[in-house]
């Protein structure tokens, strides 16, 4: 059970985690390129580049994109932004969930999970173990240094304190830094964030003359002014969370290297002689051990040989010119603006999709509606949308919900028994103005509008309230069979004069009629076929055929008692030429018929499936 929960959790977060790691690695590569460009400039410039790459691990671009979606500018038309949005989406988020039609079946019976299903859980378990090890390691070292700091004795006077106070005044630091003498052989270092304490090893002052002592103190003061302990602690958090990524450890080494060089440059800028400062570092290294914590800033960190060369080489550091400042500004601005603009465009696209799902002419609704119980005992049911409204005979609320939300009966959870068993006759009419508005819409918009109107009717008369959940359930993938598709592509503009007729009495494209033994289709897409197969099988079917055209076909099979209850009994839909074609019960199964007659087949898989949960429903009043 625990492994199943871990697998579900890992499956949900895996795409987002993959996108975040991809974005962060790319961002770090850009930071590395900029650090190379600024290799001759001040170390603090490179330090802030590496720090930005580290912080990016904690700040996903999706947060900035979400911010953009809430800005008022996102109300502008998406037309000018769509290209940018889709380009950014494809580049920055290569790992995405497959879009799956929300058509579930009943949950699978408990069984021993397979190794592929357990793999996400195993990965999550390994990550938790690694995270725990890193956190315990950092905590143990922190406790060691913390004990040393508490055991150290405060130093109230002496040349160390006097020099430090003088340096603080020069640096305009108004809050004095406490100095404590430690008997440990740990190097001089600053410990703490809000109230930093300088841990000073006993006896080291006797080995340093005044200029050397002042240089070491100036180095530690530089760490305090730069708040290096706080930024180092932030990167320690990054290392704990992303311990598995070699890049974070490499970034940690770069941060220590550049922060020490930055402090070296500050010491020299304070007026210390290069030779004196280099000698003070070497004498400190002879006497002390390096700090075990990155968030305790010392004086001996990074590659000592390179540091000494850097200190002794005059004229090695160049000031940032205007062009390089502009380059830094442009890159920093792009890092913020691109995700925000992506969020703006995404919000605009979402609004357009919402307008398709609930058209701009809303609120469209039925002018009058009559709902009466059907007590005829006839198992036949029929529902159709007519030019002037909706007509349903012997339909259950379950059938109405399937049509209103385009879901499977097995996808609807929490339904009382009467929702499936009790039948109703419904006549709902729209006024002429609403009919005119519907005629102005495209086919997709008209379908969405009629669904929305039916949802409103169910909410009004049945007091229906629903919500959506997602579960990992078995699904089918519809793929092309080995010998290729056998579908007949529809002729563009074909009016089908001798074909099936719709409620308006006209023949045309986009029609599919039939029942639980088969159906005939006129110029329908694979998406329509997938939806009907999902209803027949009681399991979500997703399209992986790659077929994008419109097709004419007839599919005929022997019904199986395990098929969806929506299609048990006589065919649903108006009578037509297809109705008499499905009387032979000696035909193949649905899965076999798909491959033999259409050149398609179904492959069993697992995937996230949407569930429609009924929170509240009531029997309707008749009128």
């Amino acid at each position: 059970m625990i492994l199943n929960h871990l697998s579900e959790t890992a499956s949900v977060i895996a795409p987002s985690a993959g996108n975040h790691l991809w974005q962060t690695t790319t961002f770090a590569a850009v930071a590395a390129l900029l650090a190379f460009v600024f290799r001759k400039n001040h170390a603090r410039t490179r330090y802030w580049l590496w720090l930005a790459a580290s912080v990016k691990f904690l700040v996903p671009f999706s947060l900035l994109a979400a911010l953009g979606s809430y800005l008022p500018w996102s109300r502008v038309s998406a037309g000018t932004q769509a290209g940018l949005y889709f380009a950014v989406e494809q580049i920055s988020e290569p790992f995405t969930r497959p879009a799956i039609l929300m058509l579930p079946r009943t949950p699978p019976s408990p069984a021993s999970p397979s190794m592929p299903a357990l793999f996400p859980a195993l990965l999550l378990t390994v990550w938790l173990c690694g995270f725990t090890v890193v956190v315990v390691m950092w905590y143990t070292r922190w406790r060691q240094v913390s004990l040393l700091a508490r055991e150290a004795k405060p130093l109230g006077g002496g040349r160390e304190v006097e020099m430090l106070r003088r340096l603080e005044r020069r640096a305009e630091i108004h809050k004095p830094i406490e100095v404590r003498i430690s008997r440990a052989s740990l190097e001089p270092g600053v410990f703490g964030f809000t109230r930093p304490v300088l841990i000073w090893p006993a006896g080291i002052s006797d080995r340093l003359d005044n200029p050397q002592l002042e240089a070491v103190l100036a180095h530690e003061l530089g760490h305090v002014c730069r708040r290096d302990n706080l930024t180092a602690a932030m990167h320690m958090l990054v290392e704990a969370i992303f311990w598995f990524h070699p890049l974070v450890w490499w970034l940690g080494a770069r941060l220590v290297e550049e922060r020490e060089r930055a402090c070296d440059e500050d010491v020299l800028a304070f007026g210390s002689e290069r030779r004196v400062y280099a000698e003070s570092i070497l004498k400190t290294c002879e006497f002390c051990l390096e700090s075990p914590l990155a968030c305790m800033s010392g004086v001996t960190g990074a590659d000592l040989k390179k540091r000494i060369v850097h200190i002794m080489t005059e004229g090695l550091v160049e000031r940032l010119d205007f062009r390089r400042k502009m380059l830094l500004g442009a890159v920093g601005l792009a890092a913020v603006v691109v995700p925000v603009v992506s969020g703006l465009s995404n919000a605009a696209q979402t609004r357009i999709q919402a307008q398709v799902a609930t058209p701009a002419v809303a609120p469209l609704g039925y002018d009058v509606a009559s709902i009466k119980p059907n007590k005829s005992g006839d198992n036949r049911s029929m529902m159709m949308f007519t030019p002037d409204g909706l007509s349903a005979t012997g339909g259950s609320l379950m059938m109405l919900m399937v049509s209103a939300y385009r879901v499977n009966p097995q996808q609807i959870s929490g339904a009382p028994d009467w929702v499936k068993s009790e039948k109703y006759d419904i006549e709902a009419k729209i006024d002429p103005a609403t009919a005119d508005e519907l005629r102005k819409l495209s086919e997709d918009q008209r379908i969405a509008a009629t669904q929305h109107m039916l949802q409103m009717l169910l909410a009004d008369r049945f007091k229906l309230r629903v919500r959506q959940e997602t579960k990992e359930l078995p699904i089918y993938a519809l793929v092309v069979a080995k010998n290729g598709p056998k579908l007949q592509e529809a002729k563009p503009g074909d009016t089908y004069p001798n074909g099936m007729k719709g409620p308006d009495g006209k023949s045309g494209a986009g029609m599919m009629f039939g029942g639980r033994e088969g159906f005939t289709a006129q110029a329908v897409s694979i998406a329509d076929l997938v939806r009907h197969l999902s209803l027949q099988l009681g399991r979500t079917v997703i399209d992986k055929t790659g077929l994008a055209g419109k097709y004419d076909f007839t599919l005929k099979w022997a019904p199986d008692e395990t098929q969806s209850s929506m299609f048990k009994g006589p065919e649903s839909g108006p009578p037509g030429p297809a109705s008499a074609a499905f009387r032979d019960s000696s035909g193949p199964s649905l899965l076999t018929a798909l491959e033999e007659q259409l050149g398609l087949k179904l492959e069993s898989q697992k995937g996230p499936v949407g569930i429609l949960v009924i929170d509240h429903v009531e029997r309707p009043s008749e009128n």
Side-chain angles (χ1 to χ4, degrees), residues 87-357:
V88 171
E89 183 183 44
Q90 291 297 320
I91 294 172
S92 64
E93 298 190 359
F95 307 103
T96 56
R97 277 186 183 275
I100 295 182
L101 189 65
M102 294 172 39
L103 297 168
R105 54 171 294 173
T106 54
S109 58
S112 299
S114 61
M115 282 306 297
L118 291 179
F119 187 67
L122 294 176
L123 284 180
L124 188 57
T125 303
V126 170
W127 176 83
L128 286 171
C129 292
F131 175 79
T132 304
V133 168
V134 175
V135 169
V136 170
M137 178 184 70
W138 288 137
Y139 178 74
T140 302
R141 295 182 182 181
W142 177 274
R143 288 284 298 170
Q144 291 174 355
V145 178
S146 180
L147 288 173
L148 288 176
R150 284 201 298 266
E151 293 172 357
K153 297 180 179 180
L155 185 63
R159 64 189 185 113
E160 300 93 341
V161 176
E162 292 175 0
M163 287 184 182
L164 181 60
R165 298 294 176 257
R166 186 168 64 251
L167 291 170
E168 288 173 347
R169 287 192 293 271
R170 288 178 58 186
E172 298 182 352
I173 295 179
H174 305 293
K175 190 176 182 179
I177 300 171
E178 183 182 359
V179 182
R180 294 186 181 184
I181 296 294
S182 173
R183 295 185 177 277
S185 58
L186 200 64
E187 66 172 318
V190 177
F191 180 71
F193 306 131
T194 57
R195 300 186 65 181
V197 175
L198 176 58
I199 309 298
W200 193 260
I204 191 174
S205 298
D206 298 334
R207 295 171 175 263
L208 302 173
D209 57 26
N210 285 345
Q212 292 170 348
L213 178 61
E214 183 176 350
V216 174
L217 290 172
H219 182 98
E220 298 306 323
L221 191 62
H223 285 305
V224 175
C225 294
R226 291 165 43 81
R227 302 187 183 276
D228 285 336
N229 284 0
L230 179 60
T231 55
M234 290 170 56
H235 186 72
M236 289 168 62
L237 176 62
V238 172
E239 289 178 334
I241 298 175
F242 299 93
W243 59 265
F244 55 89
H245 201 321
L247 181 62
V248 301
W249 303 99
W250 183 78
L251 281 176
R254 302 288 74 73
L255 284 167
V256 172
E257 176 184 346
E258 298 299 350
R259 85 177 184 188
E260 297 305 324
R261 284 192 177 184
C263 285
D264 293 342
E265 293 170 0
D266 290 343
V267 172
L268 296 175
F270 257 56
S272 295
E273 294 183 10
R274 296 178 181 275
R275 181 185 58 80
V276 171
Y277 181 43
E279 289 175 351
S280 67
I281 294 177
L282 293 175
K283 287 185 178 181
T284 303
C285 291
E286 291 174 357
F287 186 79
C288 302
L289 297 175
E290 186 178 352
S291 170
L293 271 179
C295 64
M296 179 180 175
S297 303
V299 72
T300 65
D303 190 321
L304 193 58
K305 182 178 179 180
K306 289 183 178 180
R307 282 183 62 194
I308 297 300
V309 171
H310 185 78
I311 291 169
M312 296 302 297
T313 305
E314 191 170 357
L316 185 63
V317 178
E318 299 177 359
R319 295 178 62 86
L320 280 176
D321 56 22
F322 178 75
R323 289 183 302 170
R324 298 196 174 196
K325 289 180 180 178
M326 288 295 294
L327 176 60
L328 277 178
V331 173
L333 187 64
V336 176
V337 169
V338 170
V340 171
V341 171
S342 174
L344 288 170
S345 303
N346 189 12
Q349 291 291 330
T350 302
R351 270 190 296 278
I352 287 179
Q353 293 169 3
Q355 289 170 2
V356 173

Side-chain angles (χ1 to χ4, degrees), residues 289-449:
L289 297 175
E290 186 178 352
S291 170
L293 271 179
C295 64
M296 179 180 175
S297 303
V299 72
T300 65
D303 190 321
L304 193 58
K305 182 178 179 180
K306 289 183 178 180
R307 282 183 62 194
I308 297 300
V309 171
H310 185 78
I311 291 169
M312 296 302 297
T313 305
E314 191 170 357
L316 185 63
V317 178
E318 299 177 359
R319 295 178 62 86
L320 280 176
D321 56 22
F322 178 75
R323 289 183 302 170
R324 298 196 174 196
K325 289 180 180 178
M326 288 295 294
L327 176 60
L328 277 178
V331 173
L333 187 64
V336 176
V337 169
V338 170
V340 171
V341 171
S342 174
L344 288 170
S345 303
N346 189 12
Q349 291 291 330
T350 302
R351 270 190 296 278
I352 287 179
Q353 293 169 3
Q355 289 170 2
V356 173
T358 305
V361 294
L364 294 180
Y366 293 107
D367 188 35
V368 293
S370 169
I371 301 179
K372 298 179 180 180
N374 182 308
K375 302 187 181 297
S376 64
D378 192 342
N379 288 328
R380 290 178 297 179
S381 62
M382 181 186 71
M383 186 181 73
M384 67 176 68
F385 292 98
T386 62
D388 62 346
L390 166 70
S391 178
T393 303
S396 65
L397 176 56
M398 178 67 72
M399 185 183 81
L400 295 171
M401 290 182 66
V402 166
S403 180
Y405 292 96
R406 297 178 76 86
V407 295
N408 256 344
Q410 289 78 10
Q411 185 179 354
I412 299 173
S413 173
D417 290 340
W418 66 267
V419 169
K420 305 175 186 178
S421 60
E422 295 184 6
K423 309 293 183 178
Y424 297 93
D425 295 336
I426 300 177
E427 292 292 334
K429 301 297 181 181
I430 58 178
D431 57 38
T434 301
D436 289 339
E437 293 292 345
L438 286 174
R439 280 193 291 270
K440 295 176 183 178
L441 300 177
S442 66
E443 181 180 354
D444 290 339
Q445 288 178 320
R446 188 161 51 251
I447 292 173

